[in-house]
Amino acid sequence: MAARAKLSDVARLAGVSTATVSRVLNDNDRVAPELVERVLKAKAELGYRYNSLARGLRTRANAVVGVVIPDVTNPFFTDLVRGIEDLVRENGYLLVLCNTDETAAKEEAYLELLVDQQVAGLVIAPVRSTIEAASFDLAGIPVVAVDRTMNGVDTVTLDNVRGAIAVTSRLLESARRVATITGPLVTTTGSERLVGYRRALSDVGIDFEPELFVEADYSESGGYAAAHRLLALEERPEAIFCGNHAMALGAMRAISEVLDDPSEIALASFEPLPWAADPGGRVVTLAVPSYELGQRAAQMLLERIRGFEGPARSIVVQTELLRTPR
Amino acid sequence: MAARAKLSDVARLAGVSTATVSRVLNDNDRVAPELVERVLKAKAELGYRYNSLARGLRTRANAVVGVVIPDVTNPFFTDLVRGIEDLVRENGYLLVLCNTDETAAKEEAYLELLVDQQVAGLVIAPVRSTIEAASFDLAGIPVVAVDRTMNGVDTVTLDNVRGAIAVTSRLLESARRVATITGPLVTTTGSERLVGYRRALSDVGIDFEPELFVEADYSESGGYAAAHRLLALEERPEAIFCGNHAMALGAMRAISEVLDDPSEIALASFEPLPWAADPGGRVVTLAVPSYELGQRAAQMLLERIRGFEGPARSIVVQTELLRTPR
DNA sequence: TTGAAAGCGCTAACAC
DNA sequence: GTGTTAGCGCTTTCAA
């Protein structure tokens, strides 16, 4: 019930100035050991906790990092967020979660609120890859782009092209007519995975057929609809490569609706499916280290927050072919 | 690059005092319409955005709510978080995400950081149901408990007993030897679901058999191990009721390892399984409105933040039997 | 209805 | 090495 103790209370009890208390609580340098002890004792006695807002107002930086992603509900981002959180927490930062639902307006609104909060840094999977980093740099807030690239800032991404090549090539071992359902091509993940798909085709001398390519939106229902479109083709594909986990589930559902024996069509997903979704391990997928991606991004962000000034860096994380059909 | 405009800049440009600007930006009352217009114009011209920290320091409340849960990676909590976020965002609040991993130490550390941040309110699924609300009330921060109860604060929970009765009863229609795998009994969800299970048994005149009950930890591996234990019994259960989604998947995995025909053992889960995990819809589950739970909790929290002072309220949300075996 | 001025709790010059 | 003091940007009495 008692009002919270403040710095000056600690100072009074310890018989020193507020500046000394502040020094002890931050530097711990250049203060006589005896005073340090007295301050620490007073602090403990009063159960003192600093006021982040006051400190932030003064230092123009709050011990909070913002995470701006399309949707935590997507398992890829769920794990990514945990990767970020675990690392920033260890470093004393809180994490503000912002879901954009692939909406530029929400993204923008969130970015403003984060700037209002003077967040120490930002990890973002931007709605549009073309997003200008400049608007954040204005506020001087360090930014790391994750999963999707952004101009002028540190980035941590997957090797989408290589991954897509690996998956598609595997499908091509047992099928010739391989279709693909991609995410939005305005995202780097969408367009790069398409590039990989095409390259895998051309590597084995197969022409790209536009009718075997559908652009969807990374959602289950999007994948479902897209798969139905492919299944309605006069000449059905023998295999389908889906750009992410949700669309693969949607495609699975569509396939099981249309075919008596779903295994007639080989399926692949860039992201792994939950074990239970594919108990037989028939779906070709990549191991996508989302948690690690988050950790890497957080790591780079912390470095920037601590003052690292070098040019924008970019880390590309490899994926690995996970399961083999049959 | 230009420094961010502050209140005094707006005041100068509009030719009024900072007090007037502040009034316009908050009340909008008792200010001459003409001045209001001038202030708004100046604000727009400068692209003024207030500084949350300065405001928070002054008003002792930051437009941020904390969400403290075991693990976002659990789909139940993922949806819950989205439910909270969507509502608080509409009301101008940011959401700080805190995963405790069922660890009291992490929970406590997070709570301190949240108090340091002067968060406006808190939604928490406490590690221990016995947690004292008093420590938060000290700081005068409104708290809403969700999924798990807590003394003295608003709570939003599921009707665990009714739900467990419904699920167990359904299993009892076609089986007599029904086992259960519960979560930790120190959580209300764990113990209440066990109560429901026992009540369903006694309703049909079956005695509770201790060997058919295993307490696990809500994890996939926990459910897996527990199921193996049940399957190793001399007299195997004919059905298993799992306290949550993850343990049900674990049990499924165990069952498919031990039995040639997994459908010999009926399975139920308190929480729904992803469509793909159970395409045949054989598993008995409840529809658990986690998103709605989050919205309700956020709703109550916002009311408290706005000054509602009544006694602690408690909302119990009903679940609904979702799928029927066969 | 409006403005002047006093802080919210902290840090960082600057003096000693 | 330590204390004094001036703000960080905002809200809110208190006068006018």
Side-chain angles (χ1 to χ4, degrees):
Chain A
M1 288 305 136
R4 218 163 142 213
K6 47 196 188 190
L7 202 64
S8 58
D9 296 327
V10 177
R12 194 174 330 111
L13 184 59
V16 299
S17 73
T18 58
T20 299
V21 177
S22 178
R23 282 185 197 110
V24 172
L25 267 38
N26 297 307
D27 315 323
N28 252 16
D29 269 7
R30 336 177 160 235
V31 177
E34 188 208 325
L35 291 193
V36 172
E37 198 178 333
R38 257 158 59 197
V39 168
L40 259 27
K41 186 162 161 250
K43 176 193 157 169
E45 200 162 317
L46 294 170
Y48 170 77
R49 304 236 76 216
Y50 64 79
N51 179 323
S52 294
L53 301 189
R55 170 184 284 195
L57 177 58
R58 193 55 239 241
T59 61
R60 333 174 118 340
N62 199 356
V64 171
V65 310
V67 174
V68 183
I69 55 171
D71 186 9
V72 238
T73 277
N74 177 334
F76 171 78
F77 287 112
T78 318
D79 287 344
L80 185 94
V81 166
R82 284 266 2 198
I84 298 171
E85 194 210 313
D86 287 351
L87 199 62
V88 299
R89 191 203 57 238
E90 286 169 15
N91 288 274
Y93 290 84
L94 249 23
L95 180 156
V96 172
L97 179 67
C98 309
N99 291 114
T100 62
D101 294 317
E102 306 282 6
T103 307
K106 277 191 195 174
E107 180 174 276
E108 202 174 321
Y110 262 130
L111 290 174
E112 293 200 325
L113 286 179
L114 291 171
V115 172
D116 292 350
Q117 279 288 332
Q118 314 256 62
V119 294
L122 217 55
V123 176
I124 182 170
V127 169
R128 288 186 294 253
S129 302
T130 54
I131 193 167
E132 283 305 315
S135 53
F136 319 138
D137 276 340
L138 264 179
I141 297 174
V143 176
V144 173
V146 69
D147 188 44
R148 305 173 183 183
T149 59
M150 207 165 88
N151 290 329
V153 304
D154 291 341
T155 61
V156 186
T157 52
L158 293 171
D159 192 335
N160 291 300
V161 176
R162 281 255 290 258
I165 291 178
V167 170
T168 310
S169 300
R170 172 57 55 90
L171 290 178
L172 285 166
E173 287 174 9
S174 53
R176 217 186 139 71
R177 235 177 122 63
V178 176
T180 188
I181 302 173
T182 72
L185 297 184
V186 294
T187 61
T188 40
T189 51
S191 56
E192 288 177 8
R193 288 169 199 178
L194 178 60
V195 167
Y197 161 82
R198 296 187 64 155
R199 197 165 301 167
L201 290 185
S202 75
D203 281 353
V204 296
I206 298 182
D207 284 341
F208 171 72
E209 282 195 49
E211 69 169 13
L212 291 181
F213 148 64
V214 185
E215 177 180 357
D217 63 355
Y218 281 141
S219 73
E220 204 268 352
S221 56
Y224 174 78
H228 264 303
R229 217 167 103 193
L230 291 170
L231 294 170
L233 288 176
E234 262 185 66
E235 198 183 347
R236 265 187 203 150
E238 303 158 51
I240 303 178
F241 162 42
C242 300
N244 81 335
H245 144 267
M247 297 195 300
L249 292 182
M252 247 172 127
R253 186 155 64 92
I255 290 172
S256 69
E257 280 175 12
V258 173
L259 274 71
D260 290 330
D261 177 10
S263 68
E264 274 176 27
I265 292 191
L267 196 63
S269 163
F270 195 92
E271 297 165 355
L273 306 187
W275 170 82
D278 179 34
R282 260 189 282 273
V283 177
V284 177
T285 68
L286 293 173
V288 175
S290 1
Y291 184 87
E292 186 197 331
L293 230 59
Q295 299 250 64
R296 300 280 207 122
Q299 184 59 49
M300 291 177 105
L301 186 63
L302 288 171
E303 288 166 13
R304 291 283 176 190
I305 290 173
R306 287 173 188 143
F308 176 71
E309 293 276 5
R313 298 161 294 176
S314 131
I315 293 179
V316 177
V317 176
Q318 292 304 320
T319 55
E320 195 186 329
L321 209 48
L322 193 58
R323 290 171 185 159
T324 38
R326 305 243 59 255
Chain B
M1 287 307 133
R4 219 166 142 210
K6 47 196 186 188
L7 202 62
S8 59
D9 296 327
V10 177
R12 193 173 333 110
L13 185 59
V16 298
S17 74
T18 58
T20 298
V21 177
S22 178
R23 284 187 195 108
V24 172
L25 267 38
N26 297 307
D27 315 322
N28 251 15
D29 268 7
R30 332 175 161 238
V31 178
E34 189 209 326
L35 291 193
V36 171
E37 198 178 332
R38 255 158 61 197
V39 168
L40 259 25
K41 185 161 162 253
K43 177 192 157 171
E45 199 161 316
L46 294 170
Y48 170 77
R49 304 235 76 217
Y50 64 79
N51 179 323
S52 293
L53 301 189
R55 169 184 284 194
L57 176 59
R58 195 53 238 244
T59 61
R60 336 174 96 24
N62 198 356
V64 171
V65 311
V67 173
V68 183
I69 54 171
D71 185 9
V72 238
T73 278
N74 177 335
F76 171 78
F77 287 112
T78 318
D79 287 344
L80 185 95
V81 166
R82 284 268 359 199
I84 299 172
E85 193 211 313
D86 286 351
L87 198 62
V88 299
R89 191 202 57 238
E90 285 169 15
N91 288 273
Y93 291 84
L94 249 20
L95 181 156
V96 172
L97 178 68
C98 309
N99 291 114
T100 62
D101 294 317
E102 304 284 6
T103 307
K106 276 192 196 173
E107 180 175 277
E108 202 175 320
Y110 262 131
L111 290 174
E112 293 201 323
L113 285 179
L114 291 171
V115 173
D116 293 350
Q117 279 288 331
Q118 315 255 58
V119 294
L122 218 54
V123 175
I124 182 170
V127 169
R128 288 186 293 254
S129 302
T130 56
I131 193 167
E132 284 305 315
S135 54
F136 320 137
D137 275 340
L138 263 179
I141 297 174
V143 176
V144 173
V146 70
D147 187 46
R148 306 172 182 184
T149 60
M150 206 164 88
N151 291 328
V153 303
D154 291 341
T155 59
V156 185
T157 51
L158 292 171
D159 192 335
N160 291 299
V161 176
R162 282 256 289 260
I165 291 177
V167 170
T168 311
S169 301
R170 172 56 57 87
L171 290 178
L172 286 167
E173 287 173 10
S174 54
R176 217 185 140 72
R177 235 177 123 63
V178 176
T180 188
I181 301 173
T182 73
L185 296 184
V186 294
T187 62
T188 40
T189 51
S191 56
E192 289 177 7
R193 289 170 199 177
L194 177 60
V195 167
Y197 162 82
R198 296 186 64 153
R199 198 167 299 168
L201 290 185
S202 75
D203 281 353
V204 295
I206 298 183
D207 285 340
F208 171 72
E209 283 195 50
E211 69 169 14
L212 290 181
F213 148 63
V214 185
E215 177 180 357
D217 63 354
Y218 281 143
S219 73
E220 204 267 351
S221 57
Y224 174 78
H228 264 302
R229 216 166 102 192
L230 292 169
L231 294 170
L233 289 176
E234 262 186 65
E235 199 184 346
R236 264 187 203 150
E238 303 158 54
I240 302 178
F241 163 40
C242 300
N244 81 336
H245 145 267
M247 297 195 300
L249 292 183
M252 245 171 131
R253 187 155 62 92
I255 291 172
S256 69
E257 280 175 12
V258 173
L259 275 70
D260 290 331
D261 178 9
S263 69
E264 273 176 30
I265 293 191
L267 196 62
S269 163
F270 195 92
E271 297 166 355
L273 306 188
W275 170 83
D278 178 34
R282 259 189 282 271
V283 177
V284 177
T285 66
L286 294 173
V288 174
S290 2
Y291 184 86
E292 187 197 330
L293 230 59
Q295 298 249 64
R296 301 280 208 121
Q299 184 59 50
M300 291 177 105
L301 186 63
L302 288 171
E303 288 165 15
R304 292 283 175 189
I305 290 173
R306 287 173 187 141
F308 175 70
E309 292 278 4
R313 299 162 293 176
S314 130
I315 293 180
V316 177
V317 175
Q318 292 304 320
T319 55
E320 196 186 329
L321 210 48
L322 192 60
R323 291 172 185 158
T324 38
R326 307 239 65 252

